[in-house]
Amino acid sequence: MIGYVVNELGSAELQDTPKPIPAPNEVLIKMEACALNFADLLLIKGTYQEKPALPFCPGMEIAGRVVDMGADVSGFSIGDRVAGVAGHGGLAEYAVLEAAATVALPDAVGFAEAAAFQVAYGTSHLALSHRANIKAGETLLVFGAAGGVGLAAVELGKLMGARVIASARGEDKLAIAKAAGADHVIDSDAPDIREQIKALGGADVVYDPVGGAAFDTAMRVTNPDGRILAIGFASGTVPQIPANILLVKNISVIGLYWGGYRKFAPKVLSDSLKTLLDWQVEGRLTPHISHQLALSEAASALSLLKTRKSTGKVVVVA
């Protein structure tokens, strides 16, 4: 089969690679769509918290049809339309998924849409509901609000009844966040960003996939008894948390590594994904896919993320 392979020399390219064989608890799918994430760039560099053995294909979010399955798998049939998240392997013609973290796709949900919203919407759904326990009427501040997870947080926060302040860079990205439901938008490069947020009443919950200066701002604008969700560090700077501010303001910093649930609580992921698929079928979610490219263009697709030329999600399709 053809896959986009990261090899022992640290390079990545399209090449022939063995078709994976499903383990007893896995399903083998013919890939129809694979959505990309910033984490894929880190995987390729070898700086992600998970380090697959070389060689490997990146690509976490996968949708396709079941073509084989392990001996212990039940509840799926050959030809089923499914979606799921693996640690890697999606940028190839065939990929394996753990059956416990795989869900059947309703006919109304396309493969590209299904791939595109698993990590982004799944991360934001678990962060806001499971970890921060956001309540209707609270104010949610979202940094990186035009990116994959940030845009999903804007949309889900609004769906859950929050008042949403979105921060992103530039008018075009702010317009996308506004269209997703943000009540207020603020340019992340504004020199008075803290003052603008405070003028809006501060934030009860902050969703931060950026880190660095964004996290510093979050510490200053979070209201007493508020929560800061540490989702990632796209800025490249992992913040150091001043515990004295946590103490004085009675605020909490809550970490979320969505992929970790694949190992210790996969049913939490599959239950969340089922809820999100129901909302998708009901027309309550609108995944934003800025680019769709073929597997032969995998390098260009990843470059869109690296150069920050995409909004929402980039999807590679078969």
Side-chain angles (χ1 to χ4, degrees):
M1 71 170 187
I2 299 298
Y4 186 73
V5 180
V6 181
N7 61 40
E8 289 86 349
L9 299 177
S11 61
E13 61 184 3
L14 284 172
Q15 64 184 60
D16 285 323
T17 187
K19 181 191 292 188
I21 299 173
N25 65 334
E26 292 178 335
V27 295
L28 175 69
I29 72 165
K30 171 70 173 67
M31 188 274 285
E32 296 291 345
C34 175
L36 302 182
N37 295 274
F38 187 76
D40 290 311
L41 300 177
L42 300 181
L43 274 173
I44 293 169
K45 290 173 60 180
T47 57
Y48 194 54
Q49 51 258 47
E50 296 182 11
K51 294 178 172 58
L54 296 168
F56 71 91
C57 296
M60 299 178 178
E61 299 177 271
I62 312 166
R65 294 186 183 275
V66 175
V67 295
D68 196 4
M69 65 189 75
D72 296 341
V73 175
S74 61
F76 294 102
S77 301
I78 303 301
D80 282 353
R81 302 173 73 252
V82 297
V85 176
H88 58 279
L91 283 179
E93 292 178 310
Y94 296 88
V96 291
L97 292 169
E98 289 185 21
T102 302
V103 298
L105 283 183
D107 290 339
V109 179
F111 288 119
E113 294 172 314
F117 79 73
Q118 293 179 87
V119 169
Y121 283 87
T123 296
S124 298
H125 183 241
L126 284 190
L128 295 175
S129 63
H130 186 66
R131 298 291 283 152
N133 192 28
I134 196 167
K135 300 175 180 63
E138 289 191 308
T139 296
L140 169 66
L141 168 63
V142 179
F143 289 114
V149 293
L151 196 60
V154 170
E155 189 173 1
L156 287 171
K158 193 64 179 175
L159 182 59
M160 294 177 184
R163 170 177 171 256
V164 181
I165 303 171
S167 174
R169 180 172 295 148
E171 292 184 4
D172 291 344
K173 291 184 176 181
L174 290 175
I176 290 170
K178 187 74 172 179
D183 298 284
H184 306 278
V185 294
I186 300 174
D187 196 306
S188 58
D189 286 337
D192 62 342
I193 183 171
R194 294 183 185 181
E195 288 73 18
Q196 289 192 54
I197 297 168
K198 288 179 179 179
L200 292 170
D204 302 305
V205 177
V206 179
Y207 185 98
D208 179 23
V210 178
F215 187 89
D216 294 340
T217 296
M219 293 294 295
R220 305 296 177 179
V221 302
T222 300
N223 294 327
D225 208 28
R227 292 87 77 202
I228 300 173
L229 288 157
I231 305 299
F233 316 108
S235 67
T237 300
V238 178
Q240 301 302 302
I241 300 172
N244 62 315
I245 297 180
L246 303 185
L247 184 153
V248 171
K249 297 184 70 175
N250 287 294
I251 61 178
S252 302
V253 176
I254 304 169
L256 175 74
Y257 170 37
W258 184 85
Y261 283 87
R262 285 193 304 106
K263 295 182 178 179
F264 67 84
K267 192 174 186 300
V268 172
L269 294 189
S270 59
D271 287 348
S272 171
L273 184 54
K274 288 174 183 176
T275 296
L276 293 168
L277 283 169
D278 287 342
W279 288 351
Q280 171 71 9
V281 171
E282 293 166 6
R284 302 172 75 185
L285 301 178
T286 309
H288 178 80
I289 300 172
S290 64
H291 298 81
Q292 289 192 47
L293 294 88
L295 180 59
S296 60
E297 302 172 287
S300 296
L302 288 160
S303 180
L304 288 167
L305 289 186
K306 187 175 183 179
T307 57
R308 305 187 188 280
K309 292 181 179 178
S310 63
T311 55
K313 299 293 288 189
V314 175
V315 178
V316 170
V317 295

